[in-house]
Amino acid sequence: MKTNSPSITCQRGAATLLTALILLISITLVTFMTAKTVLVETQMSANNYRTSQATAAANAAMDYALAYFGDAGNTTFACVAASYPPAPVPPATVPAIFVQDHIYPASTASVCIDNTTTRPLTTPWGVTINTPCVTISGALTAGMIIATGYSDDGTAQRTATQCVGSRSLMAGGSPLQSLVSGGSVGLTGSAQLINRYNDTNVWSAGAFSVGSGAMETYIRPVNIEMNQLTTAQLNSTATTPIPNVQKVSSKDLGSGTDVYASDGVLAAAMAATVADKAISGHAGDGPNTFFDMVYPGVRKAELARSAQATGQPPNGQLLATGASSSHLSGKSGIVYVQGNASFGGNNTIGTAAAPVLLFVDGDFDLTGGDIFGAIYVTGKLTGAGSPKISGTIITEAGVNRGAGTVTLVYTPFGGGSGGGSIMPGLTGVIAGSWRDW
Amino acid sequence: MKKQNGFTLIEIMISLLIGLIIIAATITIYVNTIKSSTDTIRSVRLNHDLDSALSLMENDIKRAGYWGGAIAGANSQLNPFTVVTTAPITNVQIPTPSCILYSYDGGNGITGGVAHDANGIVNLDEYYGFRLTTNGAIEMRLTVADTASVGCNNGEWQALTINDTSGERINITRLQFSFNPIPGVGDLAFPILPATSKCLNTASLVTTAPFNTLCADAAVGYLTTGQRAIETRQVNVVITGQLANDPSVTKTVYNSVKIRNDRIFTQ
């Protein structure tokens, strides 16, 4: 008996099978295509994310470099490439000063502060950044921050650059005298005023009186040229004996040629100051005032803002009235006191490398300590004791010092003393210089 | 006669029924797959187009104000890319909410053998901008013909989004720029965008807070003639788009951009 055993010829339903197969294959293809689109989109998102990571790292590195530059930018560092592959193009040559590299945070960004006139830096997309930030290579107070950030896996890289600079408050030149006064000057103690850079020590709008004390002023001997002395010799504060000077004024010699007293120019500036203060909202710092003569184009409030921007927030080195040695000691850069201040004891403000610009918007009582830098007092300078000042004193209302020995050695601000180094509070980005291409 | 071997009527009916059920099920799955796949692809494309447009805008707007002459010792008040008082205005501006204009020293062209990039002057191909056209496309400005006409309707613009008659076309229904916060529109589209531009009078009292607007909008008396000010600009951007052939597929993207180069000027 013949049975219906399975065989090819007996198969039925092939059309159904074929149709179902074709449909299934179509579905599979469509699914794959969709999956591919989604995968590509995922990859794009991942790339966007990596770019964001790299950009954020570069921004963080930029912020770090800005803070570094504004705080202690005169440290010497070598500029080396970051450790993360792919390494950024390392600078070909670097000056020995004021260039630093820091990897921040570890392995995700590198920073270089560069002060050469041109810095060829090829970006990943093949563009060469060659914008100079400084016109003279090796300038100590300006440079270009090159911040390169990487994504966590190192595949994405973004570079941003920005010029940074330092504002010079002495745009019109530092005073040439060790003591500039808008009022009268009375030194009754044994003050010693020394100026080895220029031939004047005192410049005042009012009268200059030596009194009966042992006050003496000195300048560099006429037969020694300035370039025969080293900076250390020019700035020397040694007193017994005082090296490389000749005495010009004293109780017995009287006021010598290094004293310009009762000067009409300063008197006119002081008159302008009084007139400016009389205007509502003005602080005696308008055009042609005493302050404007010393710091051309600057306003007192701007100085205060600069001081506020330094040190610990919220007020940095902006101090309230009544600031004393404990508040002032150890500071450098811009220090602004909104009122009277006093300083003395065995304390120091500023250093030779990082001088202070102490602005006292009131009276200043000086009884001791060491000060490196310029002191500007809108009121009167009083005191006693034996302070040593390397720099210059500027006072609007004059000087009235009693007993004691003050040693004032003139050092030009922004020249010999802290010559062109960074002062906290005076640094900043140069607006308009940020670029990332 | 040879014996006929065949299926019975019952067998055929059952096999046809089973076949039909299989085909019907398969077709249903197929149609659903195609539909969801189409939706996915459309959504992905819309997302991608809007994200790309936003990303491009962010990256370019934040460069506004770059000046090749901004080096140590330069006076940033002289930055020719932040001019607001005399024509042509080069400073970043938002003449209408859907149009932003700005410039920076990044032109690709060459004049007299000197490349425009970072050459310190405002070349014609450095007047950039983004705008929304009436037919729903985002356009970017490539160049202007002359400095006398640099408004939103001047110059050569190129579309960023697909704006042809194909099925891939997307309609941008909203493009909004603002220097001030943009209120959110509920949980459907976007939250409040709080980024705020600031005006800081450097000569004012230390305790005075910066004004939370552009300097032009600051209170009367905040800035007086001769005072210096720093203006930091933040731009909020919102884009809403939909597919031209399926308006139900819609998407809103948004972000805030901080312009890196601040404007410094004397009032």
Side-chain angles (χ1 to χ4, degrees):
Chain A
M1 180 181 167
K2 188 173 182 184
T3 58
N4 280 337
S5 62
S7 77
I8 295 298
T9 53
C10 292
Q11 292 299 315
R12 295 293 186 274
T16 308
L17 181 65
L18 203 65
T19 312
L21 269 177
I22 288 172
L23 286 174
L24 278 170
I25 290 168
S26 306
I27 290 170
T28 313
L29 284 177
V30 168
T31 311
F32 277 150
M33 279 171 61
T34 312
K36 190 182 170 226
T37 311
V38 172
L39 278 174
V40 167
E41 173 69 11
T42 309
Q43 208 161 27
M44 285 177 182
S45 301
N47 284 341
N48 279 342
Y49 181 67
R50 289 191 188 100
T51 311
S52 303
Q53 269 190 330
T55 308
N59 284 340
M62 179 67 80
D63 290 345
Y64 177 88
L66 288 174
Y68 177 89
F69 179 82
D71 195 32
N74 52 4
T75 315
T76 302
F77 276 86
C79 198
V80 295
S83 63
Y84 207 102
V89 179
T93 57
V94 293
I97 40 175
F98 197 69
V99 174
Q100 82 109 17
D101 183 271
H102 193 87
I103 296 162
Y104 174 87
S107 298
T108 58
S110 71
V111 175
C112 186
I113 302 177
D114 185 351
N115 63 348
T116 49
T117 52
T118 53
R119 168 54 58 223
L121 187 82
T122 305
T123 60
W125 48 98
V127 176
T128 301
I129 299 171
N130 203 13
T131 307
C133 281
V134 295
T135 47
I136 302 166
S137 272
L140 294 174
T141 55
M144 176 160 72
I145 295 178
I146 305 162
T148 307
Y150 306 93
S151 60
D152 284 349
D153 60 0
T155 53
Q157 176 185 344
R158 300 291 283 177
T159 297
T161 63
Q162 178 149 279
C163 298
V164 287
S166 182
R167 195 158 57 118
S168 172
L169 273 180
M170 297 289 184
S174 162
L176 303 177
Q177 297 74 25
S178 48
L179 178 62
V180 181
S181 166
S184 60
V185 177
L187 293 166
T188 52
S190 333
Q192 291 174 323
L193 273 57
I194 301 156
N195 189 346
R196 296 187 186 89
Y197 287 85
N198 309 298
D199 59 0
T200 50
N201 269 305
V202 180
W203 183 23
S204 74
F208 174 77
S209 60
V210 176
S212 59
M215 199 285 301
E216 291 171 338
T217 67
Y218 302 86
I219 59 172
R220 175 168 38 84
V222 290
N223 61 345
I224 297 182
E225 291 178 15
M226 212 169 97
N227 55 19
Q228 288 178 274
L229 300 176
T230 64
T231 304
Q233 285 173 322
L234 286 168
N235 297 346
S236 169
T237 56
T239 51
T240 49
I242 303 172
N244 302 310
V245 290
Q246 70 179 46
K247 195 191 297 182
V248 183
S249 310
S250 73
K251 183 181 64 179
D252 299 328
L253 289 171
S255 293
T257 55
D258 64 337
V259 175
Y260 289 160
S262 305
D263 182 67
V265 175
L266 281 187
M270 279 314 296
T273 304
V274 173
D276 190 73
K277 275 182 180 166
I279 304 171
S280 170
H282 284 224
D285 54 2
N288 304 320
T289 59
F290 188 84
F291 182 86
D292 187 55
M293 202 175 69
V294 181
Y295 302 117
V298 182
R299 293 290 180 271
K300 289 178 180 174
E302 292 179 343
L303 272 188
R305 275 198 184 281
S306 295
Q308 192 181 29
T310 65
Q312 292 298 312
N315 285 325
Q317 297 185 164
L318 178 70
L319 306 173
T321 182
S324 62
S325 303
S326 59
H327 303 106
L328 296 171
S329 181
K331 299 255 192 306
S332 68
I334 288 192
V335 179
Y336 190 106
V337 184
Q338 295 173 295
N340 297 337
S342 61
F343 186 74
N346 191 21
N347 295 300
T348 303
I349 321 178
T351 65
V356 70
L357 196 152
L358 177 59
F359 188 94
V360 181
D361 197 9
D363 294 333
F364 188 43
D365 192 37
L366 184 60
T367 55
D370 291 334
I371 300 177
F372 293 90
I375 305 169
Y376 189 103
V377 185
T378 62
K380 225 172 175 54
L381 179 73
T382 58
S386 306
K388 279 190 177 181
I389 299 124
S390 294
T392 184
I393 293 177
I394 304 147
T395 156
E396 289 186 8
V399 182
N400 183 14
R401 272 194 58 89
T405 307
V406 59
T407 306
L408 174 56
V409 180
Y410 175 79
T411 50
F413 200 84
S417 166
S421 66
I422 299 295
M423 281 185 68
L426 288 181
T427 61
V429 303
I430 293 165
S433 64
W434 186 94
R435 68 181 287 172
D436 68 341
W437 74 96
Chain B
M1 187 179 171
K2 192 180 174 190
K3 188 186 175 209
Q4 296 292 312
N5 269 336
F7 296 107
T8 64
L9 184 61
I10 302 296
E11 284 173 337
I12 288 175
M13 295 288 276
I14 292 173
S15 61
L16 275 176
L17 187 66
I18 294 172
L20 278 174
I21 290 171
I22 291 172
I23 289 172
T26 318
I27 286 176
T28 310
I29 294 170
Y30 178 73
V31 168
N32 282 336
T33 312
I34 291 280
K35 195 168 178 300
S36 76
S37 171
T38 310
D39 286 350
T40 308
I41 289 176
R42 281 176 175 175
S43 166
V44 161
R45 181 175 297 141
L46 184 64
N47 279 355
H48 178 248
D49 285 359
L50 295 187
D51 281 342
S52 301
L54 181 66
S55 168
L56 196 146
M57 286 187 197
E58 282 171 28
N59 283 327
D60 212 54
I61 291 173
K62 72 181 177 186
R63 297 169 174 169
Y66 171 74
W67 173 40
I71 64 170
N75 182 355
S76 291
Q77 296 188 53
L78 303 178
N79 187 340
F81 294 86
T82 57
V83 172
V84 295
T85 47
T86 53
I89 293 172
T90 55
N91 192 42
V92 58
Q93 50 172 328
I94 303 177
T96 66
S98 65
C99 170
I100 187 169
L101 300 176
Y102 57 95
S103 65
Y104 63 86
D105 210 350
N108 295 318
I110 292 174
T111 302
V114 178
H116 291 180
D117 182 29
N119 64 349
I121 56 174
V122 190
N123 300 104
L124 292 177
D125 62 351
E126 290 171 346
Y127 287 89
Y128 304 105
F130 292 100
R131 69 177 182 186
L132 180 65
T133 61
T134 49
N135 62 354
I138 298 177
E139 290 188 336
M140 180 181 190
R141 183 155 73 187
L142 304 176
T143 184
V144 294
D146 59 81
T147 56
S149 41
V150 296
C152 286
N153 297 319
N154 307 116
E156 184 187 332
W157 298 74
Q158 189 174 56
L160 282 186
T161 50
I162 298 168
N163 192 33
D164 53 21
T165 53
S166 73
E168 295 186 352
R169 177 195 161 112
I170 63 169
N171 279 328
I172 304 298
T173 54
R174 173 183 184 140
L175 175 65
Q176 186 178 2
F177 302 101
S178 175
F179 290 118
N180 298 313
I182 298 180
V185 288
D187 54 357
L188 290 174
F190 62 92
I192 183 170
L193 299 177
T196 304
S197 303
K198 289 184 192 300
C199 179
L200 175 69
N201 178 354
T202 61
S204 69
L205 292 175
V206 178
T207 48
T208 308
F211 223 88
N212 289 330
T213 65
L214 291 182
C215 288
D217 303 329
V220 175
Y222 179 71
L223 263 181
T224 57
T225 304
Q227 290 183 322
R228 273 188 290 271
I230 301 173
E231 189 176 62
T232 59
R233 286 77 53 88
Q234 298 226 47
V235 181
N236 292 306
V237 188
V238 180
I239 311 174
T240 303
Q242 59 184 211
L243 292 176
N245 56 6
D246 185 1
S248 66
V249 181
T250 178
K251 164 107 177 158
T252 297
V253 293
Y254 49 86
N255 211 344
S256 298
V257 190
K258 163 101 169 63
I259 294 178
R260 305 308 168 107
N261 293 309
D262 295 337
R263 174 176 165 241
I264 297 178
F265 65 99
T266 300
Q267 182 74 356

